[in-house]
Amino acid sequence: MASAGAEISELPSEEGQGAGRSRWRARPVDLVYLAARTRADRAAEMEILQTFVGQMRQCLRSLVPGGDAAANRTAAARLRAAALAVGAFALSASAEAVERNGTDPDAIESVHSCVIEAENFVSGLCR
């Protein structure tokens, strides 16, 4: 468990976790979900997470409070799909709020906060 990659796949499964399950869901990225999607391939998990960070940055540049609502909705839809793919469920929910109202500054700020949290989380795993 010395490497960050080892930590990703060795988290306990969600089945039977009870109260512990909410603890894992509170993370910016659900690593158990990601491990299930990659069949616990640590190298694939790290590659996917690094790609996800790039996608988040790209989408974030397109989300502008007070900007074009259609462009914000499009960026939010891309971000939501990417977030769902890796198990970043809080980010996905925030992006969905922007999809509903592309000009809501609070929803856009929520997305920005979730992106920062997810990016910091992934950066910590990659150390």
Side-chain angles (χ1 to χ4, degrees):
M1 281 185 119
S3 75
E7 295 173 14
I8 292 177
S9 297
E10 294 176 10
L11 293 172
S13 70
E14 291 184 27
E15 294 177 12
Q17 287 299 310
R21 182 174 182 195
S22 63
R23 179 175 59 135
W24 299 116
R25 285 281 188 195
R27 289 183 170 183
V29 176
D30 184 338
L31 297 176
V32 175
Y33 175 84
L34 182 60
R37 304 265 310 202
T38 63
R39 296 184 180 167
D41 180 333
R42 294 179 191 129
E45 291 167 5
M46 295 310 294
E47 184 177 340
I48 289 167
L49 287 172
Q50 291 170 347
T51 300
F52 176 58
V53 167
Q55 290 173 323
M56 286 190 300
R57 289 176 181 163
Q58 182 180 3
C59 291
L60 202 57
R61 284 191 292 270
S62 300
L63 284 175
V64 180
D68 180 59
N72 284 347
R73 285 187 185 104
T74 299
R78 284 195 316 262
L79 187 56
R80 184 173 63 89
L84 284 175
V86 300
F89 300 116
L91 175 55
S92 174
S94 292
E96 186 175 11
V98 175
E99 280 187 275
R100 286 192 303 269
N101 183 355
T103 59
D104 182 357
D106 292 333
I108 294 171
E109 179 58 35
S110 176
V111 168
H112 280 261
S113 295
C114 286
V115 165
I116 291 168
E117 187 177 1
E119 187 170 355
N120 288 338
F121 181 76
V122 171
S123 293
L125 292 173
C126 294
R127 290 183 192 165

